[in-house]
């Protein structure tokens, strides 16, 4: 028995995402798609058929968006009379079409955005062949993003050094990465790097650098000496041999027996050191250039002894270089004040900082990749 969503218009078989039924289409058969471009369900897609589509947080919705600011049955989308229509189902927080609140029913034009809570859904009219190709590419990017995330170490909640972190790329693939581990029974190494740009190229570059540091594959390098590590990386990765990509880095080695921290940075924002009982926050940086730009560059390092209970925050410039609603931009000074005054939730310290930044940023978005590592020295 034929389903009312099936078509016999060619010899190419695809799967209707609503009914899960194989249908035959030609290469030029166009269809209307809903594409979640922002929010926790980012990347989900849905092909519109003849039947109305319910969008909401309840599991029985055709397009389920699990978010507390979205009503159980928030809105309904229908394709009829050659147009796509959206109807608000008396939602608590409203349905917004290109920023305008939907009252009753409204036409949803191609290319327009529908906002429900923190989710944004795009309406796209595309051929199924094109869409399937694009979905395969998007799936590959999501797999690559999951791989990059799998390389990041787990937070450390006990021992002489505790570590918490938050990583939020501005695109599917970002240029930030970091790592930390014990070099031996006494020395703990940690590092954060930021490759210029976004997308597959910078992500591949940052993964290769991360693996060099994590697996200690740089030849003839003492990884307990930050300046030597930076000099060797700089010489091994000239930008002209790597798609004109350069990067910044902050690299530190902490000795638990002497409580001494040796560190070096290249073109990177300063790490912020907070004393255990208040007092002056210190900026930790060395005056070295970006990595990969100047061959045979000599890199300097610095040292200091940490008081028990000190907190160190290492981050990329995406933590403070973003637009504010009044047209100005964030600053390192404002970010430092936020860190000084933060009262984080147990076990969610770095993530709570990121969430606070999204509440003050324009449209709730940071313009660049965000990476923050918070270390406590017990």
């Amino acid at each position: 028995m034929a389903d009312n969503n099936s078509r016999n218009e060619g010899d190419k078989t695809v799967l209707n995402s609503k009914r899960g039924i194989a249908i035959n289409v030609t290469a030029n058969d166009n269809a209307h798609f809903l594409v979640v471009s922002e929010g926790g369900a980012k990347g989900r897609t849905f092909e519109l058929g003849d039947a109305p589509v319910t969008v909401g947080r309840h599991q029985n919705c055709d397009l389920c968006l699990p978010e507390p600011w979205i009503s159980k049955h928030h809105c309904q989308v229908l394709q009829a009379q050659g147009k796509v229509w959206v109807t608000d189902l008396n939602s608590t927080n409203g349905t917004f079409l290109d920023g305008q609140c939907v009252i009753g029913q409204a036409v949803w034009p191609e290319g327009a955005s529908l906002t429900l809570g923190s989710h944004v859904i795009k309406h796209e009219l595309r051929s199924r062949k094109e869409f399937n190709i694009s979905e395969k590419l998007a799936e590959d990017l999501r797999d690559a993003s999951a791989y990059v995330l799998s390389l990041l170490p787990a937070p450390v909640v006990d021992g002489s050094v505790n570590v918490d972190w938050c990583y939020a790329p501005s695109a599917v693939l970002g240029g930030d990465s970091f790592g930390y581990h014990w070099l031996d029974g006494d020395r703990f190494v940690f590092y954060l790097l930021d490759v210029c740009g976004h997308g597959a190229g910078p992500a591949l570059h940052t993964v290769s650098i991360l693996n060099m540091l994590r697996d200690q594959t740089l030849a003839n390098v003492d990884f307990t000496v930050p300046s030597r590590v930076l000099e060797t990386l700089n010489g091994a990765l000239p930008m002209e041999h790597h798609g004109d990509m350069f990067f910044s880095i902050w690299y530190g080695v902490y000795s638990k027996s002497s409580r001494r921290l040796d560190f070096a940075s290249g073109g990177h924002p300063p790490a912020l050191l907070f004393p255990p009982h208040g007092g002056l926050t210190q900026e930790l940086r060395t005056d070295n250039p970006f990595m990969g730009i100047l061959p045979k560059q000599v890199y300097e390092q610095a040292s200091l002894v940490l008081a028990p209970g000190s907190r160190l925050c290492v981050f990329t410039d995406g933590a403070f270089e973003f637009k504010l609603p009044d047209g100005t931009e964030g600053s390192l000074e404002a970010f430092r004040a936020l860190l000084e005054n933060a009262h984080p939730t147990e076990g969610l310290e770095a993530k709570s900082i990121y969430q606070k930044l999204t509440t003050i940023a324009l449209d709730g978005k940071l313009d660049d990749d965000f990476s923050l590592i918070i270390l406590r020295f017990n």
Side-chain angles (χ1 to χ4, degrees), residues 48-90:
L48 290 178
D50 297 331
V53 173
T54 303
V55 183
R57 75 168 190 269
H58 198 278
Q59 292 182 350
N60 68 3
C61 290
D62 301 297
L63 181 55
C64 177
L65 304 177
E67 179 188 324
W69 294 278
I70 294 178
S71 299
K72 290 182 179 179
H73 300 92
H74 197 102
C75 65
Q76 187 180 80
V77 182
L78 174 66
Q79 183 181 191
Q81 303 170 355
K83 298 179 181 179
V84 172
W85 303 78
V86 59
T87 304
D88 182 78
L89 299 177
N90 297 316

Side-chain angles (χ1 to χ4, degrees), residues 46-276:
F46 195 97
E47 180 185 339
L48 290 178
D50 297 331
V53 173
T54 303
V55 183
R57 75 168 190 269
H58 198 278
Q59 292 182 350
N60 68 3
C61 290
D62 301 297
L63 181 55
C64 177
L65 304 177
E67 179 188 324
W69 294 278
I70 294 178
S71 299
K72 290 182 179 179
H73 300 92
H74 197 102
C75 65
Q76 187 180 80
V77 182
L78 174 66
Q79 183 181 191
Q81 303 170 355
K83 298 179 181 179
V84 172
W85 303 78
V86 59
T87 304
D88 182 78
L89 299 177
N90 297 316
S91 63
T92 302
N93 296 308
T95 303
F96 297 87
L97 185 59
D98 276 350
Q100 299 296 314
C101 186
V102 174
I103 307 298
Q105 188 179 63
V107 174
W108 187 354
E110 176 191 350
S113 296
L114 197 71
T115 302
L116 297 75
S118 66
H119 283 77
V120 176
I121 308 173
K122 291 277 190 180
H123 168 206
E124 298 184 5
L125 177 63
R126 297 167 63 180
S127 79
R128 289 189 176 93
K129 182 178 180 180
E130 281 183 358
F131 195 83
N132 290 338
I133 293 172
S134 134
E135 275 298 285
K136 180 61 174 68
L137 291 174
E139 182 181 352
D140 290 343
L141 284 175
R142 289 192 291 271
D143 289 344
S145 178
Y147 169 67
V148 171
L149 191 61
S150 74
L151 297 177
L152 303 180
V156 180
V157 297
D158 52 22
S160 56
V161 182
N162 299 158
V163 190
D164 186 38
W165 56 262
C166 181
Y167 167 71
S170 61
V172 177
L173 287 173
D176 288 6
S177 196
F178 56 85
Y180 45 83
H181 56 270
W182 289 96
L183 290 170
D184 51 40
D186 182 57
R187 287 168 293 192
F188 185 80
V189 62
F190 53 99
Y191 38 84
L192 175 60
L193 57 108
D194 180 3
V195 176
C196 65
H198 308 98
L204 288 171
H205 200 36
T206 194
V207 166
S208 67
I209 301 167
L210 182 67
N211 286 334
M212 289 179 187
L213 296 172
R214 185 183 61 174
D215 301 333
Q216 301 179 43
T217 56
L218 292 170
N220 304 316
V221 174
D222 185 347
F223 283 86
T224 67
V225 182
S227 59
R228 286 293 300 130
V229 173
L230 267 60
E231 287 173 3
T232 307
L233 279 175
N234 180 65
L237 301 167
M239 60 184 293
E240 59 268 24
H241 295 164
H242 295 274
D244 289 333
M245 288 184 291
F246 57 92
F247 62 98
S248 70
I249 188 171
W250 203 102
Y251 186 98
V253 178
Y254 172 71
S255 167
K256 69 177 181 180
S257 60
S258 65
R259 306 199 62 84
R260 191 181 76 181
L261 173 65
D262 299 323
F263 66 92
S265 61
H268 205 82
L272 297 177
L273 178 63
F274 299 90

